Structure formats: structure tokens, C-alpha cells
Amino acid sequence: MEAGKFERLKLFLYMLPLIGFYSVMFITPIVLIFLQSLGLYSLGHMGETHFTLEYYKKFFELGGTYMHALWFSTWNSAVAALIIAVLAYLMALFFHFIEFKGKKIVTAIYKIPLFIPYLISAFAWWTLLTPGGYIQRFLAWLGIIGETTQLVNDKFGIGIIVANVWINLPYMVVLLVGALKMIDPSIIEASRTLGAGFWSTVKNVIFPLTIPSFIAGSLLVFIGMFGAFSVPFILGGSWPKYMSITIYEDVVDRGEWGVGSVQAVVYMIAAVLIAYLYTKIMRGMRGGGERA
Amino acid sequence: MKKVLFALVFVVLVSMVLAAGIPSWDEVVAKAKKEGKVVWYGYGAEWDKMFYKSLAKEFEKEYGIKVEYVHGSWFDAIQKLIAEKKAGKKVSSFDLVFTWSVPFKQAWDAGVVWKYPIAYVVPNARNVVDAGLLEYTDMIPTHGTFLPFVWWQVAFLYNKEKVKDPPKSLDDLLDWVKKHPGRFTYSDPNKGGSGHTFLITIIEWLYGYDKYYGAECTEDVVKSWYKKSPKGYSLWEYLNELEKYMYQPGTYPAGNSAAMELFARGIVWLEPQWLDVTAEWVKEGRVDPNIVGMYIPEPTIDAGGFDGLFIPAKAPHKYAAMVLANFLLSKKVQKDLVVKRGGIYPVVKGVWEEIPESVKNQPYYVPLEEVTKNLWFRHGECMEKAMKLWVDEVVRK
Amino acid sequence: MKRKTWIFLMSTLIIFGVVFPIIVIFFWAFSERWYGTSLLPSKWGLKWFKVLLEGGDLGKSIYLSFTIAPLVVLFSALISIPAAYVVGTKSFKGKRLVENLVLIPLIVPPIASGIGLLSMYTNWGMIGSYWGVVLVHMIGGIPYMFRSVAAAFESIDPALEEASRTLGATRLQTMLKVYVPLVSPGVLAGSIFTFAWSLNEFVLTLLVGLPNITTLPVQIFHYVGGYYIAPAPASALSVVLIIPSILIVLLMERFVKIEYTAGAGLK
């Protein structure tokens, strides 16, 4: 059914509130940030505006604050995403293939972190991992770490990784359980009747079928952590810092809107890139545009 | 040059006021009552907010002038005033803004401060502990437009149970830290005031306080931090040497509370810390009061910040704002700050003497005489520059 | 037997991993004296809840959080439903693009778009305005609503509408009798997610809501924001937010079909 001109106008009118809202509340600020990053607009309502690449130069200065922040937020979030991927896969297999009494309760409980504000989760982990906190004490008692070892506000962002895993794991599990449900049970049945054990079925049959969800989910989890503010704010150290923190400090503490905007632009490019990859993978999975 | 200019501006201002005639205080109060309302903007921890709100209520009772207390961050207050100026608004949202030196300077530079020497109109301002506080805050010129209200103080906090011999002077600090590896720390200066007060104290101690008192923080001053001081170290050498023996070299507690937490858990035995943060922890039952010992090492630790009040240029209730400021500088309120809020020194004279011994003897108070023996002020401009450089020169190394 | 032990271990581990950090928050919230050197509080009580109530923070924050969230749900629904109807039931060029673009506001870090919004709000004089905060919450709320509702519309057999029309039902009747019952589960799912999103939104509220609009997360931030970490009052506030969060999870488990949950947690 190809829509006629009038029909198209009607469709457009239906979508107008949505388009209007995002034009004002989302696209406008992004455009302004982009202009500010080039010196063509002043977000801070001060000073003259003229074209300059000064802020970009500042950002891309090798060994400078911002390259470090970008690198740190990238690798730190990637490590967390990797841990999440592995743990979530195991959990998803568990929930999908095993029936047991009380499963309903467990499946409800594991989703709780999804709905707890980041700030609270970060803070909870801060109290556990700070020297003298329960987990820090326990690890020190086991002799894994020293009595005074810092697991929060440290150079490696250990606290950030732990809290991020806790927060994002359930999302990945939900996603993977969904992907496992889409696998035709008869395929698994076939593999089993052909004499394959459970783990070899997972390896040879199930895993290849869930790769797209696996990657797509990991991408979303990654970008969420990469740009999050609360977790690195509470658990991050003096150095290095997440880029979300350096943006906040530049803008809020020092009024340096220019370089703050460049960082925001970098975040947006990363986000659009990931959104693109995500939709591409999802479309491939749906098999030529057919929605699951 | 800049200073001369400031002095000139000030003289002009004062003469303008004199020409217009300083209103008598009774007149101010009468006009304030006519205005009937004042919007007071404050910032700080949540327990500060509760305390300021209670002060607002008392003021309402005493003067019949309604106080609307708004609690936010200092950034926000200045941002809003500047935005209102840009938008060409005739009146601003606040009448009296509580802030500290660095944001005050931003507000002054943006032209949103009322250029009227309230410090010479408000009667209680005559009692401030040091006349310099009416002209400067953290050595940033205020031209009498800024009134000190709260005297925060940093001191050395040590674990009385574990430490019998805390370093008596800053000269002994490094030796002590070397002898007790892993037991000293200070807050990340960018995340906690106890850290940046310590930083500026070290600068003034290394290079000589007289070099900083009333001086500008020029390029040369900043460069001098890379050169050997009379004490034998450059600033950055000293801090890096200190770091080697500190708690978890390379990591700094993310703020006053994080540093306090390490102390309360018995992990760190010595650190610079705010008296009021310590007071709050003792009161909240988060640190065993038996381990809390506080003192000022030789020669001293910088006094302040003396956070204070200014009236925005477009404040709609300026007289009421002055009356409220006067109230906040009264002996009664200053005494309450010491007794009820705790860990604060009065900014006006004749109050400390009236404080009961039971309060002065709390573990989180240091006798005022120890602080005033060598009264050093923080250099706000240098402090800000040093904080930023500290990241590159200390943590990253 | 072996299998049973294994299941038991795995379940315990999951439950413990989730519940333990939350329990510690409860410890803090109900502690009146807890020295850093001891394992457990030495005095328990409701002191912090009383302090928060008397200070007026708790009441105000609860009021703000729980009135803003329903408004965000309402307006997000009003904006999303017409668009979701079109995307879910009609086929047209650029349909996929619309679907994908709606994802982007969820993926762009709030701090990035936030500095632009901060500047715009300053220009408009909307810093610290209640409705301003409702609007910024909708940026992240609409995608949840839109996705859930669009999925619901899509699952409706187009033949149903036709059948209803050929049977002589008016447009309105078709709407009420066919669409409403079939789409409402999607709207419900979307509402739950949008509500949870609004309740938890923090960065944008912090940037544009100060100083007046201190929702619960912003209030918590005041207690843990670096300069001052006060675990006890922060935990007491957290308890107030954790309880509805857990209720939301239970609601979701009970009423929301699994196909809608895929839209969850994109935050």
C-alpha cells in the first residue's frame, strides 16, 4: 500500500509532536554544542564568537588530559562490557535451559539492579569497596589484597568496573534470554539426539545463533557505561578520569565550554556510530526487515 | 598597576557613597521592613542547609521580614545571576548570596556584584576579627562588597590511640611520614577544601608567606613552584616526595569525607581535615571520638576560607539583605555557629571568649589562639592555579 | 542430587550478589552510631528519617519525584502514541529510520546533550523550573514509551481493523474496541519504563533543575557528591527510592509480557 500525497501528510502530522519535541529538546542543543566546539557560538553567554579549532587542538593534544580521559573511559568500559558479556551468557543459559522450583523469584530478583538509580548503586559499592568496607575487608582477610588497598577512587577504576557490572548485567541477561527464546528448540533437540553434549551444543549450535544479540547488547551496554556520570563520579579517582567527569568539571567548575563541547561532540559521534552498528546488526538478525 | 586601579575604584566608590550620604542604620532597618522580604542563596552540605534554614526562621521572628532561603551550589548562583544580566532582567532572583572567594571573583568580573561598600554600612561588620577581611577574601579584593560570615578552619587530624608523636611543625612532616609509611594522606585538592587549603599552606610555608601576602599570582610566581624553595625542595618535588610514603601513593581520597572515612576506619593516622567535617562525623557517630586529636602545626595552617555574603547588583531587596547580613554577623548567630553547628570559629570579636568550656574541649576544636598565633590567609588565585597544576605535576607523576 | 546442589548454588549466588549491596544501604539508613572501625552499627534507629523529615527535604523530594514521573509518563504517551500508531501499523518510506532515530536520545550520554540544554535553559530563564525538568525527563522517557507502544501496534493483525470496519463499526468504535484493549499492555509496559526512567533520572535534573527541583536522586547526590559523603542520610533517602524500584520490578514481572521487556534497561 503506497501512501499517496495526502496520506503522507497525514502520517507526518501523526509524527509531528515527536519530531517537534526532539527538534527543540535534542537536536537544537546538539547543534549549539557543535557550533560552540568550533567557537561559532557561546554556550556560556560570554565572549565573542569566531571560528577556531583551538578547542579541538586542546582535545587532541597527545598525552593531554582529554586523550587520557577518552582512553580511560574506553578501556575501562570495555573491560566491564567483556565481564558482563561472559557472566550474562552463563546466567542466560541457566535461566533458559533449567527449570527449578523458585525460578520465578530468582528471575524477578536478578532484575532489581536495573531499576535502582545509578547513583545509589555506585554509592552502595563505594561503601563496600572502600578500605574497611565489607568486601575490601573480606578480600584483605583472604590475603588477596593488602589491608589498606584502595578498590575505589583508584587508578584502574576497579570500583567503576565492579559497580558497572552489577548495574548492567541484568540488562544483558534479559536480552540474551530473549535471543535464546528465539532459537527453534528442534535445532537444539537435533544436536542433542546426534549425541552432542550440552556444552558442545552451546558452542556449536547455540552460540553462533546468538552472536548478533550478543554483540548488539554488548555495544549498548558499553556506550551506557562509557558516557555514564554517576558511577565514575562516585567511584573514580583523581587521575585518570572518565570523560563525562572532565566535561562536568570543565563546564560546571571552570566555565570552559569550548573544550567541554568538543568532548560532548566526541560522545555524540560515538553514540551515533554505535546506534548505527546496533541497528545494522539487529536488521541482519531479523532477516531482511522482518520484525521478530 | 591593577592594584592602583582597584584602590582608585574603591576611593571613588567610597566617596560616592559618602556624597550620597551613608544612611543611618535605623533608616536601613526601616526601609528593610518596608521591603518585607529577602531571598537568601546559600550552598554547602545538607546539614548546613538545615542550620541556615533555622537561622532564617529566627530572623523572621526578630524583624518580621520574610526570608526565602534557597539552597544550591555556588556555581549555580553565579550562573543564574550572569544569565539574568544577559537577559536584561531588571531584578535578580537573589538578594543575598553566600559564596566563597573564587566564585565571588567570577561574579565581580561579570559585573553582577552590587558595588556598594556594605562592609562599612553594616554595623556588626565593624567587629570582624581582622579588618583585612572587609577588603579581601582569600586575598581577592572585595572592595567592601563582601562580608565574611563563616570561618572554616583546617587543622591536622591525628589518631590519638595510634600516634603519640604527631609532627609538631611542617618541617617535621616529611620525616614523620617517612617513619610511618602509608599513614598520611590529604584530600584531592580539586575535590575537597581540606586538600586545597593544605596545598596553599605548603606553598606559603615553602616560599615564605610574605611573598604571597597581598601579592598578585603572576606567571613568575607560578614558575617559582618549579624552583627550589628556601626549604630545599621545589613545591612539586616536595609533594612528590611526600606522596612516596603516603597512603596508597598515586591515589588521593576523593574529597574531605573520603579522607575522613580513611581516618575513621583507622587506616590513615594523620591528615589535614576541616574542623567542621570532623565535628559532623563525631556528632553523627561515625568516628570514635577517643581517637580524634586535632592541632595546628608550626608555623600554622591557613585560616579560612572565610566564606561570606554579597548583594547582587540587581537585588530587589537590598536593605533587607543588609539587615539579614547584619543579623548573620551578630554575636548571637556567630555563637550558635560555634555551639550548634560546631567546628567553626566566629568571624566577629568577643564571641570565642563566651563559648562554654564544654564546647571548646570537644575533640574537634583547636584553641583559637593556636590558629591566630600566626594568622595566614589563603591566596585564592594561587590556590586555584596550583589545584589545576597539581593534577599534572603530582598525581600523574 | 548434584544437579540440585548446582542449581541451589547458582541461585544463591545470584540472589546474594543482588541483595547484599542493598542490605548494606539498609544498615546505613537505620544506623545511629557506626564507628568506622566496627563491623556493625553500635546503635540502630530511625534518627535519619526523622532528621530528613524535619529538615523538609524528604517530603519535598518525594513530592517532586512522584509528581514529575506521572507527568512525564502522560506527556510521553501523548507524544509517542500517534507516532507509534503510524510506525506500527502503516508502511512508508523512512519508517525504519524513524524507529532507529528514536533510539539515539537513549544512547547519547545525558551529560553531552546536557551542557547544551543547560545553556538553552539559561537563555530561556527556565533553570530550576518544574516543567523544565518534566521536559528533560521526556527526552529519555519517550523512546521507552514509543518502542513499547509501537511493538504493541505492530502485533495487531491488520485484518482486525478491516474486519471491524466492514462490520460497520465507526472509526471511534474501532479505536475503542480493537486498538485500546490490544495496545494497552504496550502502553502499560512503556509507562512502567518511563516512570522508572523519570524516577531515576539524575544528570539532566542536576544540570537544569538546581536549585529548586531537588528530586530524590538529586537530593541523594547532595549527600554523596564528593565534598560531603554522608552515608547515613544518603542511605535513608535511597531506601525511599529502592522500595518503589523493587515494586516496579515485581509489577513488571506480573503484568508485562516478556516481548516488551526487551525495551527495558536501555538507559
Side-chain angles (χ1 to χ4, degrees):
Chain A
M1 181 172 72
E2 185 52 39
K5 216 174 194 173
F6 175 69
E7 195 66 13
R8 273 215 295 273
L9 183 71
K10 223 169 80 183
L11 292 181
F12 178 73
L13 283 178
Y14 273 110
M15 287 192 289
L16 191 61
L18 187 80
I19 294 168
F21 177 82
Y22 279 119
S23 302
V24 177
M25 296 297 292
F26 193 66
I27 296 170
T28 316
I30 286 177
V31 170
L32 293 181
I33 287 167
F34 186 67
L35 291 175
Q36 160 77 75
S37 74
L38 292 167
L40 294 170
Y41 181 82
S42 171
L43 288 173
H45 321 288
M46 278 179 263
E48 288 143 43
T49 54
H50 58 89
F51 176 79
T52 171
L53 286 175
E54 172 199 344
Y55 307 126
Y56 281 91
K57 274 191 199 135
K58 208 166 165 188
F59 180 87
F60 285 107
E61 186 195 327
L62 280 177
T65 312
Y66 302 108
M67 289 320 269
H68 270 281
L70 179 61
W71 168 236
F72 179 63
S73 10
T74 308
W75 79 252
N76 191 271
S77 305
V79 168
L82 205 72
I83 297 173
I84 290 169
V86 173
L87 291 180
Y89 210 92
L90 291 176
M91 274 171 75
L93 289 175
F94 176 71
F95 285 123
H96 184 66
F97 287 108
I98 294 164
E99 287 304 323
F100 57 94
K101 230 172 100 187
K103 184 174 167 183
K104 268 216 153 98
I105 299 167
V106 182
T107 49
I109 285 177
Y110 91 82
K111 288 185 196 120
I112 288 176
L114 266 184
F115 290 90
I116 296 207
Y118 284 6
L119 203 59
I120 297 177
S121 310
F123 162 66
W125 281 100
W126 185 85
T127 67
L128 289 171
L129 295 174
T130 191
Y134 286 130
I135 292 183
Q136 200 271 357
R137 255 185 229 215
F138 181 66
L139 292 177
W141 179 75
L142 288 179
I144 296 172
I145 57 169
E147 198 195 319
T148 61
T149 306
Q150 277 274 48
L151 297 175
V152 295
N153 314 125
D154 62 305
K155 276 187 251 189
F156 304 104
I158 297 171
I160 303 176
I161 294 177
V162 174
N164 269 337
V165 169
W166 191 78
I167 292 167
N168 292 289
L169 187 58
Y171 171 63
M172 192 69 177
V173 177
V174 169
L175 212 94
L176 289 174
V177 169
L180 290 173
K181 281 217 169 97
M182 278 159 57
I183 298 174
D184 189 347
S186 60
I187 300 178
I188 297 163
E189 204 58 41
S191 160
R192 298 299 285 273
T193 40
L194 287 173
F198 177 71
W199 290 110
S200 87
T201 310
V202 167
K203 197 178 129 209
N204 298 320
V205 182
I206 299 173
F207 186 66
L209 284 171
T210 50
I211 281 179
S213 306
F214 189 69
I215 295 175
S218 295
L219 281 175
L220 287 183
V221 166
F222 169 80
I223 184 81
M225 299 185 296
F226 178 60
F229 178 78
S230 317
V231 174
F233 186 84
I234 304 285
L235 294 159
S238 313
W239 179 265
K241 286 174 184 162
Y242 260 53
M243 210 161 70
S244 50
I245 306 297
T246 50
I247 292 185
Y248 181 80
E249 288 178 351
D250 279 341
V251 170
V252 172
D253 292 347
R254 291 197 278 272
E256 287 178 14
W257 296 85
V259 74
S261 299
V262 174
Q263 297 171 74
V265 167
V266 172
Y267 264 149
M268 282 163 200
I269 292 171
V272 170
L273 210 71
I274 283 182
Y276 174 75
L277 285 175
Y278 172 80
T279 47
K280 230 178 154 177
I281 293 165
M282 290 314 257
R283 191 170 312 162
M285 204 165 73
R286 281 172 194 152
E290 194 55 50
R291 241 189 115 106
Chain B
M1 186 57 212
K2 215 169 164 190
K3 264 198 168 161
V4 176
L5 208 73
F6 275 135
L8 264 176
V9 169
F10 178 65
V11 169
V12 171
L13 276 172
V14 170
S15 34
M16 268 164 61
V17 171
L18 287 176
I22 289 186
S24 79
W25 186 247
D26 291 338
E27 250 175 83
V28 172
V29 174
K31 285 186 176 166
K33 285 189 175 160
K34 220 183 238 169
E35 285 174 347
K37 188 190 168 188
V38 55
V39 184
W40 176 24
Y41 192 103
Y43 82 102
E46 290 303 300
W47 50 80
D48 291 322
K49 174 166 99 184
M50 289 172 203
F51 184 71
Y52 299 148
K53 275 189 173 167
S54 73
L55 291 180
K57 282 220 179 79
E58 267 177 56
F59 178 78
E60 280 178 357
K61 236 188 246 161
E62 207 174 315
Y63 287 90
I65 298 170
K66 215 183 135 12
V67 184
E68 192 188 315
Y69 177 77
V70 183
H71 191 82
S73 73
W74 52 261
F75 163 77
D76 215 60
I78 309 298
Q79 179 78 10
K80 188 150 185 170
L81 288 174
I82 293 172
E84 284 172 348
K85 189 187 175 190
K86 290 273 158 187
K89 283 210 174 155
K90 292 232 167 59
V91 291
S92 60
S93 311
F94 319 123
D95 300 308
L96 189 64
V97 176
F98 176 52
T99 190
W100 62 292
S101 55
V102 172
F104 170 79
K105 189 169 185 301
Q106 288 173 12
W108 177 272
D109 291 343
V112 296
V113 177
W114 188 32
K115 292 183 177 161
Y116 184 85
I118 51 172
Y120 300 96
V121 179
V122 170
N124 286 334
R126 277 171 223 145
N127 293 334
V128 293
V129 287
D130 189 300
L133 291 172
L134 301 182
E135 284 293 313
Y136 296 95
T137 181
D138 290 346
M139 295 191 206
I140 287 168
T142 60
H143 316 287
T145 60
F146 182 91
L147 288 170
F149 165 45
V150 181
W151 177 352
W152 312 108
Q153 183 63 44
V154 173
F156 270 4
L157 168 67
Y158 74 103
N159 189 320
K160 267 204 302 203
E161 255 174 26
K162 299 272 164 66
V163 179
K164 298 296 167 212
D165 60 329
K168 282 205 184 63
S169 102
L170 291 176
D171 295 297
D172 307 332
L173 176 65
L174 187 56
D175 275 341
W176 187 94
V177 174
K178 280 183 181 171
K179 260 187 233 150
H180 303 83
R183 298 302 183 181
F184 176 79
T185 196
Y186 62 93
S187 159
D188 178 341
N190 291 296
K191 289 197 172 170
S194 61
H196 59 239
T197 304
F198 177 70
L199 184 61
I200 189 71
T201 302
I202 292 294
I203 291 173
E204 292 171 0
W205 163 71
L206 280 174
Y207 296 94
Y209 180 60
D210 22 314
K211 290 236 172 63
Y212 287 85
Y213 185 69
E216 271 182 63
C217 200
T218 56
E219 286 271 304
D220 287 340
V221 173
V222 174
K223 271 187 202 147
S224 74
W225 299 338
Y226 295 83
K227 293 178 197 142
K228 284 218 180 329
S229 72
K231 305 270 178 198
Y233 294 98
S234 79
L235 170 66
W236 307 122
E237 277 167 7
Y238 180 81
L239 292 175
N240 281 306
E241 183 68 11
L242 197 62
E243 189 190 74
K244 280 191 208 156
Y245 308 96
M246 276 170 54
Y247 166 76
Q248 298 286 311
T251 57
Y252 286 80
N256 305 316
S257 301
M260 191 69 211
E261 183 83 35
L262 291 172
F263 177 85
R265 307 224 182 194
I267 290 162
V268 160
W269 294 348
L270 178 73
E271 68 183 30
Q273 185 55 269
W274 293 108
L275 300 188
D276 72 291
V277 172
T278 315
E280 194 55 39
W281 280 56
V282 169
K283 284 191 279 181
E284 278 183 26
R286 293 176 59 199
V287 63
D288 183 350
N290 296 317
I291 67 168
V292 173
M294 293 198 97
Y295 71 102
I296 303 281
E298 294 286 334
T300 193
I301 289 183
D302 281 8
F306 290 87
D307 295 1
L309 311 154
F310 76 87
I311 300 177
K314 302 274 185 208
H317 312 101
K318 291 193 173 99
Y319 290 103
M322 279 196 268
V323 176
L324 176 58
N326 190 53
F327 170 79
L328 296 176
L329 264 67
S330 67
K331 281 189 177 180
K332 187 180 160 302
V333 169
Q334 290 292 320
K335 193 174 166 184
D336 277 357
L337 273 169
V338 177
V339 177
K340 291 189 190 154
R341 172 67 179 75
I344 289 169
Y345 292 119
V347 293
V348 295
K349 284 180 264 187
V351 174
W352 186 248
E353 295 77 4
E354 291 176 14
I355 304 297
E357 287 301 315
S358 59
V359 174
K360 287 183 183 173
N361 290 338
Q362 288 290 337
Y364 47 79
Y365 265 116
V366 177
L368 183 59
E369 301 72 43
E370 273 189 42
V371 184
T372 50
K373 200 171 76 184
N374 285 317
L375 190 61
W376 286 10
F377 295 112
R378 310 191 297 180
H379 195 298
E381 235 183 308
C382 279
M383 187 164 77
E384 212 197 351
K385 288 182 180 166
M387 282 158 69
K388 230 186 151 179
L389 285 170
W390 176 86
V391 177
D392 288 330
E393 300 299 334
V394 181
V395 201
R396 285 181 62 182
K397 293 226 160 130
Chain C
M1 184 61 209
K2 208 179 140 215
R3 187 183 137 95
K4 250 190 175 162
T5 341
W6 188 74
I7 290 173
F8 178 76
L9 270 177
M10 186 89 179
S11 308
T12 319
L13 204 67
I14 291 169
I15 294 174
F16 186 73
V18 169
V19 172
F20 183 59
I22 299 173
I23 287 179
V24 178
I25 295 274
F26 278 79
F27 280 8
W28 275 110
F30 294 98
S31 72
E32 288 192 7
R33 193 189 318 115
W34 193 354
Y35 293 158
T37 37
S38 52
L39 263 182
L40 282 173
S42 46
K43 196 169 165 222
W44 301 83
L46 292 171
K47 179 177 151 196
W48 293 110
F49 292 94
K50 277 184 213 143
V51 167
L52 290 170
L53 269 176
E54 279 159 17
D57 294 342
L58 190 58
K60 187 185 171 196
S61 299
I62 290 178
Y63 168 78
L64 286 171
S65 278
F66 288 93
T67 60
I68 287 174
L71 288 171
V72 172
V73 170
L74 178 70
F75 290 112
S76 299
L78 287 180
I79 287 182
S80 304
I81 291 174
Y85 164 73
V86 171
V87 168
T89 59
K90 310 276 187 248
S91 68
F92 58 94
K93 233 169 143 183
K95 172 173 146 160
R96 287 267 172 261
L97 189 69
V98 173
E99 275 183 295
N100 295 337
L101 284 179
V102 175
L103 258 176
I104 291 181
L106 276 185
I107 293 181
V108 170
I111 187 85
S113 52
I115 60 170
L117 283 166
L118 170 62
S119 170
M120 283 162 60
Y121 270 46
T122 310
N123 282 344
W124 297 341
M126 268 173 69
I127 293 283
S129 111
Y130 182 89
W131 292 100
V133 170
V134 171
L135 282 174
V136 296
H137 283 195
M138 286 163 62
I139 296 171
I142 288 173
Y144 288 114
M145 185 64 87
F146 175 83
R147 283 159 61 85
S148 299
V149 179
F153 271 116
E154 227 164 273
S155 66
I156 296 170
D157 190 344
L160 263 179
E161 185 182 2
E162 237 160 272
S164 157
R165 299 289 291 279
T166 43
L167 286 174
T170 64
R171 214 183 177 94
L172 186 70
Q173 277 173 324
T174 312
M175 270 287 170
L176 286 177
K177 294 265 158 67
V178 178
Y179 282 122
V180 170
L182 288 171
V183 171
S184 30
V187 175
L188 178 70
S191 299
I192 291 176
F193 297 137
T194 307
F195 191 87
W197 165 269
S198 166
L199 213 51
N200 296 341
E201 208 295 322
F202 157 64
V203 177
L204 294 175
T205 317
L206 178 75
L207 284 175
V208 306
L210 270 173
N212 318 344
I213 311 300
T214 48
T215 56
L216 282 165
V218 173
Q219 194 65 40
I220 291 169
F221 179 75
H222 283 175
Y223 284 104
V224 296
Y227 279 85
Y228 317 93
I229 299 178
S235 301
L237 281 167
S238 300
V239 165
V240 176
L241 256 186
I242 286 174
I243 291 171
S245 297
I246 292 174
L247 283 177
I248 286 172
V249 177
L250 297 178
L251 258 177
M252 199 186 74
E253 285 295 301
R254 180 83 181 73
F255 294 111
V256 178
K257 280 188 271 169
I258 187 75
E259 48 263 42
Y260 299 124
T261 56
L266 258 179
K267 52 180 183 178

